[in-house]
Amino acid sequence: MPLRKRLVVRLLFVSALIAVCSVAATAWLAVTTTTSALKEEQGQDLAADNRILAQLSGYAATHADWTGVRHTLRELAGRTGRRIALTTPDRTLVADSAPRGTPLPPRPAATVDPLRTDTYTESGTQLSGIDPRVVGPYRLPAKERARLDALATKRERCYERYGLQATVVRTASGRPVVTTADAGPADYGATVCEDGRLNTPTPTEQKALDALSDLARPCLHQAGVDLGGRLFLTFDPSGKDPFGGGYLVAKYVKLGTGEAARSAQACLRTARRTQLEPYVAPVAELFLGIGDQSPARFDMSPANKAKVVGVAGLVLAVTVAVTAVVAVRLVRPLRALTLAAQQPPELHVRVPVTTRDETGILAEAFNGLTERRERLEAQRKAMVSDIAHELRSPLTNIRGWLEVVRDGVVDPDPALLDSLHEEALVLQRIIDDLQDLAAADAGTLRLHREPLRSGDLLDQVAAAHRVAADAAGVALRTRTDAAVWLDADPVRMRQAVGNLVSNALRHTPAGGTVTLAGRRDGADVVLTVTDTGAGIAPEDLPHVFERFWRAEKSRSRRTGGSGLGLPIVRHLVAAHGGTAEVASEPGAGAVFTLRLPAVPPPGDEP
């Protein structure tokens, strides 16, 4: 059987396939969920880091130093589960959420500088790198804030009268800014309501703007920017601040475009940082690490949980489907065998062979067993019929002669008595043969073993059949090695070889020859009975050793005996641990071979 068709190989292949699919699905699921969890965790960490940096930058934007930052830092550390530390640029510790003496991470996560930052993500993001929460001298007192609030409310109501939705946004300095989502520059309502009073700097803002103008003037002059007059700074009503913090915009005469404009903007940013620097905390380095109270990492998200459940369900479904398909393919022929075995014996049911694996071989063996059972049943019926036929003929003859003698029709003369005696001997011989076969089948055939030289055995059988051979005109010869010995029952072996010789004499015509030979072949003794008769047809050879079988179907005793001689030979030889075989070709005679275990001569035993 090819290796690929073996049931064990197929089961191993299916199991390995399921295991590989499960491992592949598990590995893919682990990689994807871990990658997703890492990305989520990295995103969460990045968002948390940005929040920490934004809050500390806001603290620095509203405080002139870091004196009170410890409380804010510990609150952030407790909320985010991170270790947070602030140091000066030369690594002098400012504040730390970890216990004293805990070493800092190798590199800072960011620099906290509200005047030079690009991480602020709230609404009103600055374009200059200055945190919009840095107010400094632009912070409005309560009186100015109240006046601007009144103006903002008035403008908001004006917008509403014209059907415009207005929103008031308060800047970090306290200045309100009114914006509309649906008003364009040419909108009539926007033109009427924007009277310019809300955009006019307050005294506090004007003072700060004048100071900023004075700080920017030397830089602009050095950059070669021709002011052509006084530099004016005011506020943009749209809320867009290209210079950073406070929604201010520069308006001055003959500013120019291109490189001059860029130089003017750089001068204004530098002057603004110089103006705001006294109001913000010094630059600090931010260190972040994993805190002792960090929450559980890599929590599986609902999407990943659903993915795990889905993939596990899919693998389970595929496994069940593959197992079911394989199980059905394996069980179907076994079920057919079971149904066939449960049928009545007389039906002799056969099952179809659909595979070439172990199950297919089992089906072929079952069919072979069914055929043998059918053949044995036919042989049993034929044997019963043959036994009845063999016993009926002599019994009928004996009964008939006895009835005519009893009726006085025939006198019981010696010839009649001899005929009746011959019929009784036939009955006795048939019964003896049947008794021998029954004993062989039951394993109760008794053997009286002794060392026996094959030459003596063949000479005794030839002497016993010499008269019959001469009467038939057949030459009977023997040829054997002198030193060939076997351990056997002499009576049973003479019976076995004698049956072969009798059979050979019946089928050898006058002038023919029957030869008895014995030789040593390795560890065996080979005894052969060869005749020069008509031979046996090839289709009849398998049936030679069957009970009551005759090549001559007429069942005449002139051409055949009872049909029990050769089966008895086979059983007697098998009882001695040997085998009986036949070889023949039509017209060339037949050769019966008995192969028995050899023994050393009696004088040579150790």
Side-chain angles (χ1 to χ4, degrees):
M1 180 191 304
L3 188 63
R4 59 184 176 84
K5 291 187 177 181
R6 294 186 180 180
L7 185 60
V8 174
V9 175
R10 293 168 63 188
L11 290 176
L12 289 176
F13 175 76
V14 172
S15 301
L17 180 61
I18 293 175
V20 169
C21 293
S22 301
V23 170
T26 303
W28 173 82
L29 187 61
V31 171
T32 54
T33 53
T34 303
T35 303
S36 178
L38 285 173
K39 290 181 179 178
E40 291 177 3
E41 188 67 25
Q42 289 173 353
Q44 293 172 2
D45 288 346
L46 182 59
D49 293 349
N50 286 335
R51 287 194 298 270
I52 293 172
L53 180 58
Q55 189 159 347
L56 291 177
S57 180
Y59 181 91
T62 55
H63 295 78
D65 54 41
W66 297 103
T67 304
V69 76
R70 189 176 302 277
H71 175 73
T72 303
L73 190 142
R74 289 180 177 175
E75 182 182 354
L76 275 174
R79 189 167 63 249
T80 61
R82 305 292 299 275
R83 182 219 177 160
I84 306 174
L86 286 173
T87 68
T88 62
D90 59 357
R91 299 297 177 90
T92 301
L93 188 64
V94 175
D96 193 354
S97 63
R100 186 182 298 275
T102 304
L104 292 171
R107 293 183 301 276
T111 299
V112 182
D113 184 2
L115 299 180
R116 295 172 179 81
T117 181
D118 57 358
T119 59
Y120 187 76
T121 58
E122 302 296 334
S123 59
T125 301
Q126 75 287 355
L127 301 177
S128 62
I130 300 176
D131 194 318
R133 292 170 293 184
V134 181
V135 178
Y138 296 91
R139 184 178 298 278
L140 298 178
K143 183 177 180 180
E144 294 179 0
R145 187 179 303 176
R147 186 176 67 83
L148 291 177
D149 287 345
L151 293 174
T153 302
K154 181 180 179 181
R155 181 178 291 188
E156 182 181 11
R157 291 174 181 174
C158 180
Y159 282 146
E160 291 176 354
R161 284 198 303 270
Y162 289 96
L164 300 175
Q165 185 67 34
T167 304
V168 179
V169 179
R170 189 175 300 278
T171 65
S173 65
R175 165 174 282 276
V177 177
V178 181
T179 61
T180 57
D182 50 358
D187 193 281
Y188 177 75
T191 303
V192 173
C193 296
E194 294 177 1
D195 54 5
R197 297 175 59 188
L198 184 60
N199 302 334
T200 302
T202 65
T204 301
E205 292 173 336
Q206 189 60 53
K207 180 180 178 180
L209 291 174
D210 291 341
L212 179 60
S213 297
D214 294 338
L215 290 173
R217 194 176 304 277
C219 176
L220 291 171
H221 180 73
Q222 185 178 1
V225 178
D226 184 10
L227 297 178
R230 183 180 176 187
L231 173 65
F232 294 96
L233 296 176
T234 185
F235 294 93
D236 183 5
S238 67
K240 303 294 181 61
D241 177 11
F243 304 107
Y247 299 99
L248 70 91
V249 65
K251 293 183 179 178
Y252 42 86
V253 181
K254 295 182 181 179
L255 178 59
T257 58
E259 188 65 31
R262 286 192 291 272
S263 298
Q265 291 176 0
C267 288
L268 285 175
R269 281 194 291 269
T270 301
R272 184 161 178 78
R273 289 192 179 97
T274 303
Q275 183 186 33
L276 298 177
E277 188 171 1
Y279 300 93
V280 300
V283 177
E285 300 288 347
L286 174 62
F287 291 86
L288 298 175
I290 302 298
D292 295 335
Q293 299 179 352
S294 176
R297 314 290 283 180
F298 303 111
D299 290 336
M300 189 173 294
S301 64
N304 284 337
K305 290 180 181 178
K307 187 181 296 183
V308 170
V309 173
V311 173
L314 178 62
V315 172
L316 180 61
V318 172
T319 302
V320 171
V322 173
T323 304
V325 171
V326 174
V328 168
R329 290 178 61 86
L330 293 179
V331 171
R332 186 185 296 117
L334 297 178
R335 188 175 299 167
L337 285 172
T338 302
L339 293 176
Q342 292 174 345
Q343 299 299 317
E346 61 271 11
L347 295 182
H348 304 293
V349 179
R350 293 172 175 79
V351 296
V353 180
T354 58
T355 61
R356 297 302 303 170
D357 54 9
E358 285 85 348
T359 306
I361 294 177
L362 178 61
E364 291 180 348
F366 180 85
N367 292 337
L369 179 63
T370 301
E371 293 175 358
R372 287 195 298 272
R373 186 178 66 180
E374 186 177 4
R375 188 164 56 251
L376 290 175
E377 180 68 15
Q379 291 176 354
R380 182 187 66 80
K381 293 178 181 179
M383 184 181 71
V384 172
S385 177
D386 290 339
I387 291 175
H389 177 79
E390 292 295 334
L391 295 178
R392 184 184 296 113
S393 296
L395 284 175
T396 300
N397 291 334
I398 293 174
R399 177 184 175 182
W401 285 110
L402 290 177
E403 286 178 351
V404 297
V405 169
R406 182 191 63 186
D407 295 338
V409 177
V410 176
D411 294 330
D413 56 3
L416 177 60
L417 293 178
D418 290 339
S419 176
L420 293 176
H421 182 263
E422 183 179 352
E423 295 293 338
L425 290 178
V426 171
L427 283 175
Q428 182 66 43
R429 185 168 65 253
I430 294 174
I431 293 173
D432 290 343
D433 290 343
L434 290 173
Q435 186 176 6
D436 290 340
L437 288 175
D441 290 337
T444 59
L445 188 64
R446 294 184 179 181
L447 299 177
H448 302 282
R449 293 175 179 270
E450 62 182 51
L452 178 63
R453 193 166 66 87
S454 62
D456 296 340
L457 171 64
L458 297 181
D459 290 341
Q460 292 172 3
V461 172
H465 291 80
R466 186 72 63 185
V467 176
D470 294 341
V474 177
L476 188 60
R477 303 173 181 174
T478 60
R479 184 174 66 251
T480 181
D481 296 337
V484 177
W485 289 75
L486 56 119
D487 184 26
D489 185 330
V491 176
R492 294 297 185 182
M493 287 306 303
R494 284 195 296 270
Q495 179 183 1
V497 178
N499 287 349
L500 294 178
V501 173
S502 299
N503 186 70
L505 291 176
R506 280 195 301 271
H507 293 86
T508 302
T513 304
V514 174
T515 304
L516 286 70
R519 59 184 176 84
R520 181 73 175 263
D521 184 12
D524 297 331
V525 174
V526 178
L527 304 178
T528 58
V529 176
T530 306
D531 62 65
T532 58
I536 305 172
E539 63 272 14
D540 293 335
L541 284 176
H543 308 288
V544 167
F545 291 100
E546 293 179 4
R547 301 174 186 184
F548 295 104
W549 181 88
R550 295 193 188 95
E552 176 58 45
K553 301 303 186 290
S554 66
R555 311 182 68 85
S556 172
R557 285 196 180 88
R558 291 176 302 174
T559 57
S562 64
L564 297 176
L566 293 181
I568 290 176
V569 171
R570 185 184 64 181
H571 282 83
L572 291 178
V573 174
H576 285 82
T579 59
E581 299 174 353
V582 60
S584 176
E585 292 182 4
V591 179
F592 286 86
T593 303
L594 306 182
R595 185 176 292 273
L596 298 162
V599 296
D604 294 344
E605 286 98 348

